[in-house]
Amino acid sequence: MHFISQDLENYIEQHSEKEPELLAALNKETYQKVLLPRMLSGHFQGRVLSMLSKLIRPVNILEIGTYTGYSALCLCEGMQENGTLHTIDIKEELVDFQRKHFDKSPWGNQIVQHLGEALDIIPTLDLKFDLVFIDADKENYINYFELIVPKMNQGGIILSDNVLWSGKVLEPLSPKDISTKILLEYNLLLKNDSRVETVLLPIRDGLTVSRVL
């Protein structure tokens, strides 16, 4: 996941906006209590998500893949006062953990948690979204994208995480590596789909920004 030196990453963090105290506490508790803490967005990427949300000023946000709720809180920082963030995850054991930190934030009443398969839940959301963050199982990225695009407002932004997949997108593809295969197809789809314009940013494990036309 590290495409630049740790020293350079530290420098980047030191010269970006400070991590808010609530998120620093959430970061720490995730590393103490939850498996696979590297899945957390973290300080720098979190500030990127916050900045993008503040530029977009979304009313309705959709997040696919809540994990411990760090990225959701970052995205809420730019949400309008009447906005709502819907976040979907399949891990029942994390629901209370997420909610505890959501309720410590100013947006507790505006965050709606959905437990279950995103492919089943997304079609039930009768909303138009201004901002979507995809950070879940890579095998379904294309399926998520196809469900999401019709639910986007024109000019809305779709963010896709882990699109460089620790550099595996440049390595010889193993027949058993379904995740990398799908990500390669997904990256080509975003590049060539006439419904969006896309830029792939080398932030952490790769973050794609796609604007719906």
Side-chain angles (χ1 to χ4, degrees):
M1 185 180 292
H2 294 278
F3 299 106
I4 59 177
S5 70
Q6 188 61 57
D7 287 342
L8 199 52
E9 286 195 9
N10 292 339
Y11 182 87
I12 290 169
E13 288 192 2
Q14 291 164 7
H15 292 79
S16 297
E17 283 296 309
K18 184 178 178 181
E19 184 178 38
E21 290 184 8
L22 173 64
L23 291 174
L26 173 52
N27 194 333
K28 182 177 180 180
E29 189 171 350
T30 298
Y31 272 83
Q32 291 173 336
K33 298 180 179 180
V34 183
L35 292 174
L36 302 174
R38 72 191 291 257
M39 291 172 58
L40 192 98
S41 289
H43 176 186
F44 173 57
Q45 185 174 359
R47 292 304 85 206
V48 172
L49 296 177
S50 169
M51 181 67 77
L52 289 171
S53 184
K54 288 170 182 174
L55 292 170
I56 297 163
R57 298 291 294 141
V59 175
N60 291 317
I61 305 173
L62 173 64
E63 178 184 54
I64 305 172
T66 315
Y67 190 47
T68 57
Y70 190 101
S71 54
L73 290 172
C74 293
L75 295 169
C76 282
E77 292 180 31
M79 184 170 61
Q80 295 190 33
E81 290 184 6
N82 62 334
T84 304
L85 181 142
H86 292 261
T87 184
I88 305 171
D89 207 287
I90 60 171
K91 295 181 180 178
E92 185 175 1
E93 67 272 18
L94 291 179
V95 171
D96 291 341
F97 185 102
Q98 299 158 5
R99 178 47 59 184
K100 178 180 73 171
H101 290 280
F102 290 160
D103 287 344
K104 290 179 181 178
S105 80
W107 311 285
N109 293 331
Q110 295 168 269
I111 299 174
V112 180
Q113 294 164 282
H114 299 270
L115 179 64
E117 295 288 345
L119 293 179
D120 297 327
I121 293 169
I122 294 170
T124 70
L125 301 176
D126 187 20
L127 293 167
K128 285 285 190 176
F129 293 99
D130 306 296
L131 177 59
V132 173
F133 183 42
I134 305 175
D135 187 17
D137 55 312
K138 312 312 161 194
E139 293 89 342
N140 275 310
Y141 265 35
I142 294 174
N143 295 328
Y144 296 145
F145 179 78
E146 294 295 351
L147 284 176
I148 288 165
V149 171
K151 292 181 174 290
M152 297 295 296
N153 284 317
Q154 186 176 8
I157 299 294
I158 300 171
L159 305 173
S160 308
D161 201 15
N162 304 116
V163 291
L164 294 179
W165 207 222
S166 299
K168 291 181 182 179
V169 292
L170 293 180
E171 297 172 0
L173 182 63
S174 167
K176 296 181 180 180
D177 188 352
I178 303 302
S179 294
T180 303
K181 178 178 180 293
I182 295 298
L183 280 174
L184 288 167
E185 294 174 3
Y186 182 68
N187 290 340
L188 280 174
L189 171 64
L190 295 186
K191 172 65 171 64
N192 296 320
D193 196 309
S194 61
R195 296 172 293 178
V196 295
E197 57 179 350
T198 291
V199 61
L200 197 164
L201 305 175
I203 294 173
R204 283 189 86 231
D205 197 23
L207 179 69
T208 297
V209 181
S210 302
R211 177 175 174 270
V212 178
L213 301 175

